[in-house]
Amino acid sequence: MRSAIAESRPAFVPVDPDYEARVRASFARQGAMRLLGARLLMLEPGFCAIELPYREDLTQQHGYIHAGIVSAIADSAGGYAGFSLFPADASVLTVEYKLNLIAPAAGELLIAEAQVVKPGRTLAITRGEVYGVAGDKRTLCAIMQQTLIVLSGKADA
Amino acid sequence: MRSAIAESRPAFVPVDPDYEARVRASFARQGAMRLLGARLLMLEPGFCAIELPYREDLTQQHGYIHAGIVSAIADSAGGYAGFSLFPADASVLTVEYKLNLIAPAAGELLIAEAQVVKPGRTLAITRGEVYGVAGDKRTLCAIMQQTLIVLSGKADA
Amino acid sequence: MRSAIAESRPAFVPVDPDYEARVRASFARQGAMRLLGARLLMLEPGFCAIELPYREDLTQQHGYIHAGIVSAIADSAGGYAGFSLFPADASVLTVEYKLNLIAPAAGELLIAEAQVVKPGRTLAITRGEVYGVAGDKRTLCAIMQQTLIVLSGKADA
Amino acid sequence: MRSAIAESRPAFVPVDPDYEARVRASFARQGAMRLLGARLLMLEPGFCAIELPYREDLTQQHGYIHAGIVSAIADSAGGYAGFSLFPADASVLTVEYKLNLIAPAAGELLIAEAQVVKPGRTLAITRGEVYGVAGDKRTLCAIMQQTLIVLSGKADA
C-alpha cells in the first residue's frame, strides 16, 4: 500500500534518537488533528503518514473532503516528516506549501504521506501525496510541495 | 478593516444576477465550514471574505490555528470569489493553491479575504490574504495564490 | 543517472503515435531554449529531460545558474512531458508552476527531468527535478510542481 | 503605469542607506539579466521593477515570451525588492516561488514588479506581477508569490 515515491525515499539518520516520542507528543497537541479525526499512521526518519477516515462534516459542497482538510493532513505529514530529523531542542513551522488537487478526495479514508526531499539546518523541503482509499483501491488525489523552518533552541513543548 | 489589496480590486459584473443566493447555498453545503465554525462574512462579485472565530480544537502544536485550517478558509474564500462570477449552471473546483504562512495565526478570529485576479471560461485565478484579528488590530498571517476550474454544465447542487 | 522518482514513473500510452516528432518540432521553435543552449535529452510518453550546459551568461549574482533559467528548463521539461500525451491537434500552455531551489544550481551542466503525475483532457499535472552534474556526481538542486492546460483543436504549429 | 497593488504598498525603511548601490551592483553581476536584455527600471525600499524588451530569442513555441524568462524577471524583481531591505552584510537567495501565467506574455516589452509583503531577519516574502506593454496598454500576464532567505554575514560580492 506504499506509493512508489515513498518506496524510493532516501534513508535519513535522525540526530535525535527519541524523535518518535517527540513527534507523537507534538502530534497529540494538535487540536485540529483531533477535531478532524486524523491519526498518525506511520513514522520513520524523514517520513510520515497520516490517516483520516471519511466523515460528512469534513466535506466541501459536492460531498468530497474539503481541499483545506486534505491540506491539513498533508501539511501535518510534511511537518512531522521534517520534524523527525530536527534536533531535540528545535520546533517546526510551515513556511509555505503548494497543493495540487488531482482527483476528488473520496473513499473510506484518506492517507497523506510526506517525505523530506532536503533536510537542512534552517529550512527543510518535503513532498507529499494524499490518497483516497476505497476497499483495496488507492487513488492519488493530491500532491504537495512544502517548505519548513527549523526554530532552533525552541523546544516544541 | 478592509485590506489595501481588497480595496484596489477591479469591479466585476457577474453573469448570474443571482450569484449571491447560489454562493450562499453552496457554502451552506460545506460540512467542513460548519465543523470549523466558519461564516461567510462578505460577498461581492469576484470577492469573498470568510470569518473563523478562534477555538482550541483548531490549533497546531503551539496553540495557533493549524495551517490546514487557515488554508481551508482561504481556499473557500477564493473558491467563492471565483464562483460568484461563474454562470448559473457551472460548478467550481480548486485546481491548486499555494499558501505562505507569514505570521502565527492567532487572535480572537481569523478573516480570509480573496479576490479574483483573472476570471475565465475554463480557469479562474485568485489571490487571498488571511488576517488574525485581536481587538482592533489586524495582522496579516497568510497569503495565497489559487487556480480554480469552471465545471460548465454541472450546476453546483 | 536516472533519479529514483523518474525510475518509478508510470507507463503512459500516447494517443498520438507521432508524439516524438511533434514534441521535437515544438521544442525547436522555442527561441528561448536555443538562446540558453538547452537541448532535449530524453523523451518518453509522459517524461522529458532537458540538458543545459553551464555558461557564465546564465548566472545570478553569485555565479550559479539563475533561478529563472533553472525554471525555464524545468518548465519546458514539464510542458513537453505533458505534451507527449496530448492528441495531435492540441497545444500546451503552462497554467502555473512552483519551484523550490534546494541547492545552488552549479556544475558543468544542469539536467531537468519532469514526468506527468496526472494526465487529463483539460489539465495535466507534472512534477520535475533539476540536477547539477559535476563529473559523475549529480546533485538535486530544484524541485517543481506544475499545471498544464490542453488547448484542444489548436495544433501547436 | 503603476499597478493598483504596487500603489498600495507599505512604506519600508531600509536598514542600509546605501541599498540602491548595493542592489544595482548585484543586478549588474547577473549574467542572465544581461543575456536576456533585462534592465532595472525602478527601485524603492521593498519594491523593484524590471523591464524586458521583446525579442524573438526569448520565446516559447507560439512566439510569446517563455514562462521561464517571465519567471526570471519576476524572480529577480522579487529578490531585489527583498534585498533592498537587507543589512549591508547579507546576501539573498530565492527559496521558492510560484508563478501563475494568466495571459500570453506578449507586447513590446514586459515589466515585472515585485514588492515585499513581509520582511524578516531570516525569510522575506514577496508578491509580484508581470505586465505585457503594447503602446499605452498594459496587460497583466503573470502573478508570483515568492520566499527569499537572508544569508547573514555573507555580503553579496
Side-chain angles (χ1 to χ4, degrees):
Chain A
M1 238 200 23
R2 298 285 292 285
S3 69
I5 287 175
E7 274 162 8
S8 71
R9 69 180 185 274
F12 290 112
V13 179
V15 295
D16 172 18
D18 288 335
Y19 74 91
E20 182 162 354
R22 198 165 39 94
V23 168
R24 291 192 179 278
S26 180
F27 186 90
R29 280 195 304 276
Q30 291 205 332
M33 290 296 108
R34 213 160 37 237
L35 176 70
L36 304 179
R39 203 170 62 83
L40 195 55
L41 186 64
M42 191 184 304
L43 183 71
E44 295 173 17
F47 177 82
C48 180
I50 291 175
E51 185 181 68
L52 180 73
Y54 180 90
R55 286 187 346 214
E56 281 206 5
D57 60 0
L58 302 177
T59 56
Q60 39 83 284
Q61 71 276 20
H62 308 120
Y64 303 122
I65 305 284
H66 193 284
I69 307 301
V70 172
S71 78
I73 59 169
D75 174 59
S76 279
Y80 287 122
F83 189 53
S84 71
L85 302 180
F86 287 9
D89 68 343
S91 281
V92 60
L93 277 181
T94 301
V95 172
E96 60 83 35
Y97 63 83
K98 179 237 201 297
L99 190 84
N100 270 263
L101 300 146
I102 64 182
E108 295 132 32
L109 57 89
L110 298 185
I111 294 179
E113 293 182 355
Q115 63 173 343
V116 173
V117 173
K118 180 74 191 293
R121 258 180 311 178
T122 306
L123 300 176
I125 313 302
T126 77
R127 268 181 169 171
E129 293 92 42
V130 182
Y131 297 87
V133 181
D136 57 359
K137 203 182 154 212
R138 190 177 155 120
T139 305
L140 182 60
C141 55
I143 60 173
M144 178 192 70
Q145 203 166 298
Q146 182 195 44
T147 307
L148 305 169
I149 191 164
V150 182
L151 299 176
S152 295
K154 296 188 185 174
D156 195 62
Chain B
M1 239 201 21
R2 298 287 292 284
S3 68
I5 288 175
E7 275 162 8
S8 71
R9 68 181 186 272
F12 290 113
V13 178
V15 295
D16 172 18
D18 288 335
Y19 74 90
E20 182 162 352
R22 197 165 40 92
V23 168
R24 291 193 180 277
S26 181
F27 187 89
R29 281 195 304 276
Q30 290 205 332
M33 290 297 107
R34 212 160 37 238
L35 176 70
L36 305 179
R39 202 169 64 82
L40 195 55
L41 185 64
M42 191 185 303
L43 182 71
E44 295 173 16
F47 178 81
C48 180
I50 292 175
E51 185 182 67
L52 180 73
Y54 180 90
R55 285 187 347 213
E56 281 207 3
D57 60 0
L58 301 176
T59 56
Q60 38 83 285
Q61 70 277 19
H62 309 119
Y64 303 121
I65 305 285
H66 193 284
I69 307 301
V70 172
S71 77
I73 58 169
D75 174 59
S76 278
Y80 287 122
F83 189 53
S84 72
L85 301 180
F86 288 9
D89 68 342
S91 281
V92 60
L93 276 181
T94 301
V95 172
E96 60 82 36
Y97 64 83
K98 179 236 200 297
L99 190 83
N100 270 262
L101 300 146
I102 64 182
E108 294 133 33
L109 57 88
L110 298 185
I111 294 179
E113 293 182 356
Q115 63 173 343
V116 173
V117 173
K118 179 75 190 292
R121 258 180 311 178
T122 306
L123 300 176
I125 313 301
T126 77
R127 268 181 170 173
E129 294 92 40
V130 183
Y131 297 87
V133 181
D136 57 359
K137 205 182 153 212
R138 190 177 155 118
T139 305
L140 182 60
C141 56
I143 61 172
M144 178 190 70
Q145 202 166 298
Q146 181 195 44
T147 307
L148 305 169
I149 191 165
V150 181
L151 300 176
S152 295
K154 296 188 184 173
D156 196 63
Chain C
M1 241 204 18
R2 297 287 292 285
S3 69
I5 287 174
E7 275 163 7
S8 70
R9 68 180 186 272
F12 290 112
V13 178
V15 295
D16 172 19
D18 289 333
Y19 75 91
E20 183 163 352
R22 198 165 38 94
V23 168
R24 291 192 179 277
S26 180
F27 186 90
R29 280 194 304 276
Q30 291 205 332
M33 290 297 107
R34 212 162 36 239
L35 176 70
L36 304 179
R39 203 169 63 84
L40 194 55
L41 185 64
M42 192 185 301
L43 182 71
E44 294 172 18
F47 177 82
C48 180
I50 291 175
E51 185 181 66
L52 180 72
Y54 180 90
R55 284 190 345 215
E56 281 206 4
D57 60 0
L58 302 176
T59 56
Q60 38 83 285
Q61 71 277 21
H62 308 118
Y64 303 122
I65 305 284
H66 192 284
I69 307 301
V70 172
S71 78
I73 59 170
D75 173 59
S76 279
Y80 287 122
F83 189 54
S84 71
L85 302 179
F86 288 10
D89 68 342
S91 282
V92 60
L93 277 181
T94 300
V95 172
E96 59 84 35
Y97 64 83
K98 180 237 200 295
L99 190 84
N100 271 261
L101 300 146
I102 64 182
E108 295 132 33
L109 56 88
L110 299 185
I111 294 179
E113 293 182 355
Q115 61 173 343
V116 172
V117 173
K118 180 74 191 291
R121 258 180 312 177
T122 306
L123 299 176
I125 313 301
T126 77
R127 266 181 171 171
E129 293 93 41
V130 182
Y131 297 87
V133 181
D136 57 359
K137 204 181 155 212
R138 191 176 154 118
T139 305
L140 182 60
C141 55
I143 60 173
M144 178 193 69
Q145 202 166 299
Q146 182 195 44
T147 307
L148 304 169
I149 191 163
V150 182
L151 299 177
S152 296
K154 295 187 185 174
D156 195 62
Chain D
M1 228 180 50
R2 297 287 293 284
S3 68
I5 287 176
E7 274 163 8
S8 71
R9 68 180 187 272
F12 290 113
V13 178
V15 295
D16 172 19
D18 289 334
Y19 74 90
E20 184 163 351
R22 198 164 39 93
V23 168
R24 291 192 180 275
S26 181
F27 186 89
R29 281 195 304 276
Q30 291 205 333
M33 289 297 107
R34 213 161 36 236
L35 176 69
L36 304 179
R39 203 169 63 83
L40 195 55
L41 184 64
M42 192 185 301
L43 182 71
E44 295 172 17
F47 177 82
C48 180
I50 291 175
E51 186 181 66
L52 179 73
Y54 180 90
R55 285 189 344 216
E56 281 206 5
D57 61 359
L58 302 176
T59 56
Q60 39 82 285
Q61 71 277 20
H62 308 118
Y64 303 122
I65 305 284
H66 192 284
I69 307 301
V70 172
S71 78
I73 57 169
D75 173 58
S76 279
Y80 288 122
F83 189 54
S84 71
L85 301 180
F86 288 9
D89 68 343
S91 282
V92 60
L93 277 181
T94 300
V95 172
E96 60 83 35
Y97 63 82
K98 179 236 201 297
L99 190 85
N100 271 261
L101 299 146
I102 64 183
E108 295 132 33
L109 56 88
L110 298 185
I111 294 179
E113 294 182 355
Q115 62 174 343
V116 173
V117 173
K118 179 74 191 293
R121 258 181 311 179
T122 306
L123 300 176
I125 313 302
T126 77
R127 267 180 172 173
E129 294 93 41
V130 182
Y131 297 87
V133 181
D136 58 358
K137 204 183 155 212
R138 192 176 153 120
T139 305
L140 182 60
C141 56
I143 59 173
M144 178 192 70
Q145 202 166 299
Q146 181 196 45
T147 307
L148 304 169
I149 190 163
V150 181
L151 300 177
S152 296
K154 296 188 184 174
D156 196 62

